[in-house]
Amino acid sequence: MKIGILSQDANLYSTRRLHEACQQRGHEAVIINALRCYMNINSVQPSIHFKGTDLIGFDAIIPRIGSDITFYGCAVLRQFEMMDVFAVNQSIAISRSRDKLRSLQLLSREGVGMPVTGFASKPDDVLDLIKMVGGAPLVIKLLEGTQGIGVVLAETQKAAESVIEAFLGLKAHIMVQEYIEEAGGADIRCFVIGGKVIASMKRQAAEGEFRSNLHRGGSASLIRITPEERKTAIAAAKAMGLSVAGVDLLRSKRGPLIMEVNSSPGLEGIEAATGKDIAGMIIDYIEKNAGKSRRNLQNQ
Ligand code: ADP
């Protein structure tokens, strides 16, 4: 098969591993920088060009679209979809997953557990917003934040009020969330491929920190997830319409709570923690599904 990897950087661990896994299985792999692609949109023969050549003959695309280029990256992926190329994750599902508010609304509609969460842009009544989500301690998040930046724990009512007011002064959209203290600074990343959790790891925050992001000094280790956690992770990926997803959840007294569903989950941390060939499993998934119709895949 001819497989395109939509990625801006051929040196990134995940890109390298996917490229390697394609080659090991005898496929041709091409790394495509979406920003460098230009497209001809017409009703007869849509096409995509890259450095003067026509990108044709692809059987599948693995999108690894960074959050900074979601808009253009998804447009290029959509163009491949219009040319009937199989996308490991569809552009519509990736766009959904990049909007935290939309994601939580979709998950709540499907009844997937999540921390009590409020969203606001310019509330006139901050005290009522705090009351709505159960009062301090609270986690306050900037909607645009990633890798734990812009995620603040406000332990008292006063701290919550001042942080919310400061963020609102910056004209940011914010999320105000119940603090899941019993998670003890740990979260669980479940890696889902084709409706199955194929690997999972626990990320533990550094001493004195509540955010478990590896970029913030958190450490990863192997974990056995419960059947309920497995079910929740699968339901979350399905609600988002993602075939490959990194589902982050917190262990709480009332069961697993979803925090985020990532559509381009990194491979480095999870391959290191589990010793599994996850890049290879993504290629296996393509081999099994690239010929199937979209309807069949959505029903999986
Ligand atoms: P980002 O998307 O920037 O990584 P997250 O929402 O995933 O931000 O939060 C970063 C980390 O903070 C999480 O991995 C988790 O460890 C911790 N965290 C986030 N929200 C909560 C919460 N409501 N209760 C307890 N811990 C939380």
Side-chain angles (χ1 to χ4, degrees):
M1 283 201 280
K2 184 169 169 184
I3 300 175
I5 304 167
L6 266 192
S7 166
Q8 278 183 283
D9 187 351
N11 294 317
L12 288 177
Y13 178 90
S14 302
T15 311
R16 276 194 284 117
R17 286 283 300 120
L18 288 163
H19 190 263
E20 204 174 274
C22 284
Q23 290 183 326
Q24 276 166 357
R25 285 163 173 73
H27 303 301
E28 181 188 348
V30 184
I31 297 171
I32 305 164
N33 182 339
L35 286 185
R36 302 283 176 86
C37 292
Y38 40 104
M39 299 169 273
N40 183 345
I41 301 166
N42 64 68
S43 47
V44 188
Q45 198 176 35
S47 65
I48 308 176
H49 283 208
F50 178 70
K51 292 185 178 168
T53 54
D54 201 356
L55 295 180
I56 47 169
F58 283 87
D59 299 290
I61 295 288
I62 307 174
R64 302 287 313 174
I65 297 170
S67 56
D68 51 336
I69 66 147
T70 301
F71 172 76
Y72 198 76
C74 282
V76 173
L77 180 59
R78 203 177 309 120
Q79 186 82 354
F80 275 112
E81 290 163 8
M82 285 166 56
M83 292 156 57
D84 277 330
V85 180
F86 173 78
V88 164
N89 276 332
Q90 300 243 317
S91 55
I92 177 86
I94 297 173
S95 322
R96 260 183 219 136
S97 76
R98 293 292 159 83
D99 179 337
K100 287 192 189 184
L101 174 51
R102 189 174 177 194
S103 301
L104 287 184
Q105 286 171 324
L106 283 169
L107 294 169
S108 86
R109 189 177 67 184
E110 298 303 320
V112 178
M114 64 184 70
V116 177
T117 305
F119 270 95
S121 176
K122 256 195 282 181
D124 295 310
D125 195 337
V126 169
L127 293 183
D128 187 45
L129 173 66
I130 294 176
K131 201 165 116 209
M132 194 172 90
V133 293
L138 286 176
V139 177
I140 300 153
K141 303 181 184 183
L142 279 177
L143 218 51
E144 292 78 18
T146 54
Q147 298 178 347
I149 298 165
V151 178
V152 179
L153 171 61
E155 281 169 291
T156 64
Q157 165 87 15
K158 276 277 154 250
E161 281 174 43
S162 10
V163 174
I164 293 173
E165 274 158 14
F167 278 176
L168 293 176
L170 296 171
K171 302 204 187 322
H173 300 303
I174 56 162
M175 203 159 111
V176 183
Q177 201 166 61
E178 161 196 18
Y179 175 51
I180 310 299
E181 191 169 4
E182 63 271 26
D187 74 354
I188 298 172
R189 157 64 58 98
C190 298
F191 207 104
V192 178
I193 301 181
K196 291 194 183 80
V197 178
I198 52 94
S200 46
M201 66 172 168
K202 175 175 151 177
R203 293 177 302 198
Q204 180 69 51
E207 188 71 29
E209 172 62 74
F210 80 102
R211 295 166 299 178
S212 59
N213 304 68
L214 301 182
H215 290 94
R216 311 237 66 74
S219 54
S221 61
L222 212 59
I223 190 175
R224 250 193 113 75
I225 57 169
T226 65
E228 198 191 358
E229 286 162 351
R230 185 173 296 276
K231 217 173 101 201
T232 304
I234 294 168
K238 184 156 190 257
M240 304 296 298
L242 291 167
S243 304
V244 172
V247 180
D248 294 340
L249 46 90
L250 294 173
R251 265 187 182 165
S252 82
K253 282 185 262 184
R254 56 178 198 276
L257 303 177
I258 298 284
M259 255 187 336
E260 201 173 20
V261 183
N262 199 312
S263 55
S264 285
L267 300 182
E268 188 166 14
I270 191 105
E271 287 198 335
T274 62
K276 290 188 179 169
D277 174 13
I278 293 175
M281 294 185 198
I282 294 176
I283 311 305
D284 291 345
Y285 174 76
I286 294 176
E287 289 172 355
K288 289 201 189 88
N289 293 285
K292 283 193 197 164
S293 76
R294 248 173 239 172
R295 185 180 296 271
N296 281 341
L297 284 172
Q298 273 161 1
N299 290 337
Q300 258 188 10

